[in-house]
Amino acid sequence: VRAVDLSPNNDYVVGGLYSGEIIIWEINSQKILHVLEGSNPIWGISFSPKGDKIVVGGVNPEVNVWDIQSGNLVMTKKEHTDQIKSVIYSPDGSRILSAGNDKTIICWDAETGDVVWRTMVDGPITSIAVNNEGTYVVAVSEDVNYPLFICDMKTGEILVSYHGMFIQAESVAFSPNGRQVISSSFDKTI
C-alpha cells in the first residue's frame, strides 16, 4: 500500500496499492466495499470532505475521481506530463489539487474538472497540503534550493519560498490552526 486516507466520517479507509488497485474498506464491518483498477502504482489518494468520492494520482499522469458507493470512475483529467505524487481536496470540496514530477501544481474545479490555475516550480513536487480555511497550499519538492513554498489557494501565486532547509522534502502538512507547517525529508529532519 503506497497511499492511504480515512473518510471524514470515519466509515471508510481507502488504500492505493503499488499494483494500481484501489481498495475501499468499511471500518465497522471490516469488509472490502470495492476493489478498483487504477493506474499503477498509486502515489496519492484523498477523500472528498463529504466522503462520497476519492481522488487518485499515480505513475499514469492523470487525476481520477471515483464514486465511493458505486465504485465508478466519474472523472479523468490529463493535464500533467509526468507522475502525480500528491492529490488532495480543498476543505470545502470545491477544488482538487494535484502535483508531481512535472514540477506543477494544478488546481481543478471538483465538479467540472476545469483547470482553475497552474503553478510551476523548480523541482518535482512530492507532497501538497491545504490549510483548514482553504486559503493556502503548501508544497514540498526535490529542489534543494527552494524545497518548500506556500501558494495562494485562489490564484496559485507563490507567496513564500523557503530555501536551504533540507534535502529532498518528502511530506508536508499544516497544523490544525494553520500557523505552522510541518515537513519531513530524506536527510532525517522534520
Side-chain angles (χ1 to χ4, degrees), residues 100 102-105 119-125 139-143 146 149 151 158 161:
D102 63 358
K103 306 175 187 178
T104 305
I105 300 173
T119 297
M120 293 204 63
V121 297
D122 291 332
I125 301 166
V140 290
S141 80
E142 295 177 10
D143 178 11
Y146 292 94
F149 47 94
C151 299
I158 296 174
S161 297

Side-chain angles (χ1 to χ4, degrees), residues 43-44 84-88 97-101 104-105 121 123-130 137-142 147-149 168-174 181-184:
W43 296 122
I84 298 171
K85 292 291 187 87
S86 188
V87 292
I88 192 167
L97 291 114
S98 58
N101 284 357
T104 305
I105 300 173
V121 297
I125 301 166
T126 54
S127 182
I128 55 176
V130 179
V137 179
V138 63
V140 290
S141 80
E142 295 177 10
L148 187 146
F149 47 94
Q168 192 169 341
E170 283 298 305
S171 63
V172 68
F174 274 101
V181 171
I182 301 140
S183 64
S184 66

Side-chain angles (χ1 to χ4, degrees), residues 31-108:
K31 293 184 180 179
I32 293 174
L33 179 64
H34 295 291
V35 177
L36 311 171
E37 294 299 321
S39 60
N40 48 2
I42 304 295
W43 296 122
I45 199 161
S46 179
F47 273 98
S48 66
K50 291 181 182 176
D52 60 335
K53 294 181 175 67
I54 55 170
V55 60
V56 179
V59 168
N60 188 354
E62 61 188 27
V63 173
N64 292 312
V65 178
W66 298 81
D67 180 89
I68 292 297
Q69 292 305 314
S70 69
N72 292 330
L73 180 64
V74 295
M75 185 187 304
T76 297
K77 301 309 284 183
K78 299 178 182 181
E79 291 284 334
H80 286 279
T81 59
D82 204 340
Q83 298 180 42
I84 298 171
K85 292 291 187 87
S86 188
V87 292
I88 192 167
Y89 274 89
S90 63
D92 67 2
S94 68
R95 302 286 186 254
I96 294 171
L97 291 114
S98 58
N101 284 357
D102 63 358
K103 306 175 187 178
T104 305
I105 300 173
I106 299 177
C107 179
W108 312 81

